[in-house]
Amino acid sequence: MDNRRIGLFDSGLGGLTVMKELMQALPEESIVYFGDTGRVPYGSKSSETIIRYTKSDIAFLQTFDLKMIIAACGTASAIALPHLKGDCRVPLLGVTEATAKVAAKLTRNGRIGVIGTAGTVRSDAFAKLIAKENAEVSCRSVACPMFVPLVENGYADHKATRLIAEEYLEPLMQQGIDTLILGCTHYPILSHVIQGIVGDGVQLVNPGTCVAQEVKSLLTDNQLLSSGEAASYHFYLSDDPSEFARLGSLFLERSISADVSRVDIETYTEATL
């Protein structure tokens, strides 16, 4: 048994969709969440900047006594983690590998679509990982840069969001995909919009669900599950937290009453992991 907490970070609030799945799969695990709301989005930044930001996020979380850290950000997972995994003092997981494995098993016709930030699509990380699982599967990726700001500003149910989503998804529908990876952890908030456009014949793959099952297996297999104490949740942001309770509740699908603290993440930018 191990009662240390799990660390979780994202470029903004999208990682809360991963946290929601973790809370459901592992209700006794305590979690420290960091959202880099002051520097969101990561997907439009250069690879060098994404690596630098991710390194500072991890450095901040390592000030806590944690048993693992999860990069609940598709962009950070795809671009930064391959450069940083060997430097972290605790196990460091991303969302891309687990999600790619699930998608490769789910597809029936061998045609998988990926939607993500520009950075994630540019990295081609999902296509490479899927090819390792099944070289016969074809993978088409489309960047959806407007999705993150729409979600973070509370426009998930706006008619403009649907119009934009229709335009983004059209190339994938033309490819006849039967499986669609939501390659950014903000995108599950738009699941109902996306599913309505692609139809029930296309399976949506939620990174949060995939990584939650991976974490549960890892903790169980290594006897690292918490011993049954009441779980606690702590939230930290790099920008004004005044809107967090409202927006965060949408992501977690439960009210948030915990205190939220602001962190000067720049003080950790040059930190050594």
Side-chain angles (χ1 to χ4, degrees), residues 46-241:
S46 68
S47 295
E48 292 76 15
T49 298
I50 294 166
I51 292 170
R52 181 163 58 87
Y53 285 1
T54 302
K55 186 177 180 180
S56 63
D57 300 343
I58 295 170
F60 166 66
L61 284 176
Q62 288 198 139
T63 63
F64 300 92
D65 185 22
L66 305 175
K67 56 186 170 186
M68 70 165 51
I69 294 175
I70 301 168
C73 171
T75 302
S77 299
I79 295 174
L81 257 57
H83 300 275
L84 302 176
K85 274 191 173 181
D87 299 326
C88 191
R89 296 195 300 270
V90 296
L92 177 61
L93 303 180
V95 296
T96 50
E97 291 185 16
T99 306
K101 288 179 181 178
V102 170
K105 292 178 181 178
L106 280 178
T107 182
R108 302 175 303 276
N109 68 5
R111 298 175 187 175
I112 296 175
V114 178
I115 52 175
T117 66
T120 296
V121 170
R122 188 169 59 245
S123 74
D124 210 25
F126 280 107
K128 293 173 183 175
L129 290 167
I130 288 169
K132 289 182 180 179
E133 297 296 320
N134 187 343
E136 301 300 316
V137 172
S138 65
C139 188
R140 170 74 185 276
S141 301
V142 172
C144 304
M146 289 295 295
F147 278 176
V148 169
L150 284 168
V151 169
E152 296 247 333
N153 285 282
Y155 280 78
D157 294 315
H158 199 279
K159 61 183 179 180
T161 302
R162 181 178 177 84
L163 291 173
I164 292 169
E166 288 175 346
E167 184 171 339
Y168 283 153
L169 295 167
E170 178 60 26
L172 298 177
M173 297 308 297
Q174 291 179 355
Q175 294 292 315
I177 64 167
D178 74 347
T179 303
L180 179 61
I181 292 175
L182 307 180
C184 171
T185 51
H186 284 72
Y187 296 178
I189 299 297
L190 303 175
S191 289
H192 65 293
V193 173
I194 294 168
Q195 193 76 73
I197 295 170
V198 301
D200 293 337
V202 176
Q203 304 175 92
L204 303 187
V205 184
N206 181 346
T209 304
C210 300
V211 78
Q213 292 306 312
E214 181 184 36
V215 170
K216 185 174 183 178
S217 295
L218 180 63
L219 295 182
T220 301
D221 293 345
N222 292 279
Q223 298 183 327
L224 294 174
L225 291 168
S226 290
S227 61
E229 295 182 1
S232 62
Y233 307 112
H234 299 271
F235 301 92
Y236 298 86
L237 305 176
S238 59
D239 201 4
D240 183 4

Side-chain angles (χ1 to χ4, degrees), residues 6 8-10 13-29 31-33 70 72 95 182 185-192 206-213 233 235 244 247-256:
I6 295 172
L8 196 71
F9 73 89
D10 180 63
L13 302 183
L16 292 172
T17 63
V18 177
M19 184 171 175
K20 183 188 83 168
E21 300 297 334
L22 282 171
M23 291 166 71
Q24 291 176 350
L26 295 162
E28 295 179 346
E29 298 296 330
I31 300 172
V32 178
Y33 182 90
I70 301 168
V95 296
L182 307 180
T185 51
H186 284 72
Y187 296 178
I189 299 297
L190 303 175
S191 289
H192 65 293
N206 181 346
T209 304
C210 300
V211 78
Q213 292 306 312
Y233 307 112
F235 301 92
F244 177 77
L247 287 174
S249 296
L250 294 176
F251 284 82
L252 287 178
E253 295 185 345
R254 65 174 72 188
S255 62
I256 297 176

